[in-house]
Amino acid sequence: MFATKNPMYNTGNTGVNTGNNMNQGSLPFTVGGGGNLAAAPVGNQPNNNNIPVVGAPGLRIGPNPTVKPNDTQVSNSNTQQPQLQSQQHQGSSHALDDPNVYHWICQVTYGPQKEQALLELGRKREQFDDLAIVLWSSFGVMTSLLNEIISVYPMLQPQMLSNQLSNRVCNALVLLQCVASHPETKHLFLQAHIPLFLFPFLNTTSRQRTFEYLRLTSLGVIGALVKSDSQDVITFLLRTDIVPLCLRIMESSSELSKTVAIFILQKILLDDVGLQYICATLERFYAVTNVLKDMVDHLTVNAPPGRLLKHIIRCYLRLSDDLEARRLLRVVLPASLRDNTFAEVLSDDVGSKRCLAQLLLTLNEENPQ
């Protein structure tokens, strides 16, 4: 049952502070803050990337680095370190077999070529299944990556954030995405509360390309977390501002950022805890459906639907699984989803066409075809 009747939603504006970003599940959506970072045990632990994140298959977030070689060595030490030997069954080659990985790992932590090392290791994530574990387990690497992120907080103003600085931080975020996507490091990543370090980037509103890249790559890290359909991940994210931040990005950012943001929202809704959270109050329900409606209206007038329509339909369909939400959807579902507005677009997308038909059937409406 919905607890209140006020459909207002305010995203607000907050600073770059990362303090206090863990919200209580019973509160309406608010945007701002960070998390209790002092309690976050950031250290060396295992890691692996290689998972395309975002709403569409094969779509990956982050810059495309180039490759260079060299060699050095890396030291492993951590209290929760998973054993690298456990990766021997994965693939025919391993990150530790490549001397170049040793070199760039050492450069990330100690060397003068840190910026280049971030770039090169981003490329290596495509080659080695166990790079995530090497990154997490190598002494000082995670701390170094977080330092890259924290150091740019004071620069989160349009006049101060340069292309070079934005690209450098995005390369560090790509490596965090690698850690977030690996099954052996994902939960350690959450336990360290590392996603909270990304919220200052998600909370920016500038439309400049430098900020768009930061938001998009940060969304990619969250997308890597939710891709595995883990309830622990959803429960963690629901204690943060991720839902209102995604909604704001869905309203005003680039199409690619909107696609990743709505993919994250869809994954949250697909979890029973997430659906219950969204449908717990009218404020939350209307916050989500108002943004979805605005996106549909925008697609009707200004842009080809692309991947966004697919996710919008699936979000509405999942909301209809809640009985009270289903009653309200009969009123708020956009007219363009009830008629033939998107019939031509959906003609080649059998899955989305079926989802829309199921949605209309669930709402006791006939799907005009």
Side-chain angles (χ1 to χ4, degrees):
M1 296 292 294
F2 292 112
T4 62
K5 294 186 177 180
N6 181 6
M8 299 300 294
Y9 165 57
N10 184 1
T11 54
N13 263 335
T14 58
V16 187
N17 188 345
T18 57
N20 213 9
N21 203 9
M22 305 293 275
N23 294 333
Q24 298 298 323
S26 61
L27 297 178
F29 291 150
T30 57
V31 172
N36 186 5
L37 301 182
V42 177
N44 315 320
Q45 285 160 333
N47 176 329
N48 193 1
N49 173 9
N50 216 21
I51 300 179
V53 241
V54 256
L59 181 60
R60 183 178 293 283
I61 296 305
N64 288 324
T66 55
V67 182
K68 276 191 183 178
N70 248 318
D71 63 320
T72 319
Q73 211 163 4
V74 70
S75 61
N76 292 335
S77 97
N78 195 351
T79 54
Q80 296 188 52
Q81 202 176 150
Q83 299 192 2
L84 298 177
Q85 290 85 345
S86 67
Q87 292 297 315
Q88 293 303 315
H89 66 282
Q90 294 189 15
S92 56
S93 62
H94 309 282
L96 292 179
D97 296 333
D98 186 345
N100 300 317
V101 171
Y102 290 116
H103 173 72
W104 295 123
I105 287 286
C106 289
Q107 289 295 318
V108 163
T109 309
Y110 308 109
Q113 297 177 290
K114 184 173 183 179
E115 184 172 0
Q116 185 67 18
L118 295 172
L119 194 67
E120 302 299 342
L121 286 172
R123 170 70 74 173
K124 295 294 183 182
R125 81 196 194 278
E126 303 284 356
Q127 302 176 22
F128 302 112
D129 291 336
D130 61 344
L131 179 61
I133 291 179
V134 172
L135 289 172
W136 187 270
S137 302
S138 299
F139 181 81
V141 168
M142 294 305 297
T143 301
S144 182
L145 294 179
L146 292 179
N147 282 337
E148 286 290 315
I149 290 170
I150 294 170
S151 67
V152 83
Y153 288 169
M155 310 296 180
L156 292 182
Q157 300 178 34
Q159 299 80 12
M160 299 179 68
L161 186 65
S162 66
N163 287 331
Q164 181 180 0
L165 185 57
S166 176
N167 288 339
R168 176 167 175 156
V169 177
C170 285
N171 287 330
L173 290 170
V174 165
L175 297 181
L176 290 186
Q177 178 186 331
C178 174
V179 177
S181 64
H182 193 278
E184 291 192 36
T185 54
K186 179 189 299 286
H187 294 290
L188 297 171
F189 190 82
L190 278 181
Q191 288 170 16
H193 290 181
I194 292 177
L196 300 181
F197 287 87
L198 311 183
F199 280 76
F201 301 149
L202 295 176
N203 203 25
T204 59
T205 57
S206 172
R207 300 296 299 272
Q208 290 184 9
R209 183 180 300 180
T210 51
F211 287 90
E212 193 64 51
Y213 286 164
L214 280 180
R215 284 193 295 270
L216 181 58
T217 317
S218 298
L219 285 169
V221 179
I222 307 298
L225 286 171
V226 302
K227 196 177 174 80
S228 63
D229 299 318
S230 166
Q231 191 170 87
D232 290 342
V233 171
I234 301 301
T235 301
F236 175 88
L237 291 176
L238 289 179
R239 296 168 57 205
T240 73
D241 288 335
I242 191 61
V243 173
L245 287 172
C246 282
L247 292 176
R248 188 165 68 188
I249 291 170
M250 288 160 55
E251 286 181 305
S252 59
S253 287
S254 67
E255 182 176 353
L256 189 52
S257 291
K258 289 179 179 180
T259 302
V260 187
I262 195 172
F263 169 75
I264 294 169
L265 177 65
Q266 180 186 330
K267 284 293 189 178
I268 290 173
L269 283 170
L270 287 174
D271 186 270
D272 290 341
V273 174
L275 179 63
Q276 182 180 6
Y277 175 85
I278 298 296
C279 295
T281 68
L282 279 175
E283 289 96 331
R284 294 175 185 171
F285 173 80
Y286 280 118
V288 171
T289 55
N290 287 342
V291 172
L292 292 175
K293 181 182 183 300
D294 289 343
M295 293 179 75
V296 171
D297 293 343
H298 180 77
L299 293 177
T300 304
V301 177
N302 298 315
R307 300 186 185 98
L308 285 174
L309 182 61
K310 174 182 73 173
H311 294 298
I312 292 170
I313 291 172
R314 284 164 172 77
C315 285
Y316 275 124
L317 179 59
R318 178 55 175 161
L319 284 170
S320 71
D321 288 338
D322 181 271
L323 294 179
E324 184 67 15
R326 185 184 306 171
R327 180 181 67 81
L328 295 174
L329 282 175
R330 294 190 179 105
V331 178
V332 302
L333 188 72
S336 55
L337 291 179
R338 305 171 189 264
D339 55 30
N340 288 312
T341 301
F342 297 111
E344 183 177 351
V345 175
L346 296 177
S347 61
D348 296 327
D349 189 346
V350 178
S352 297
K353 189 176 180 180
R354 287 176 178 171
C355 287
L356 180 57
Q358 182 181 346
L359 170 63
L360 297 179
L361 183 63
T362 301
L363 300 181
N364 295 319
E365 295 190 28
E366 182 180 355
N367 185 11
Q369 292 295 335

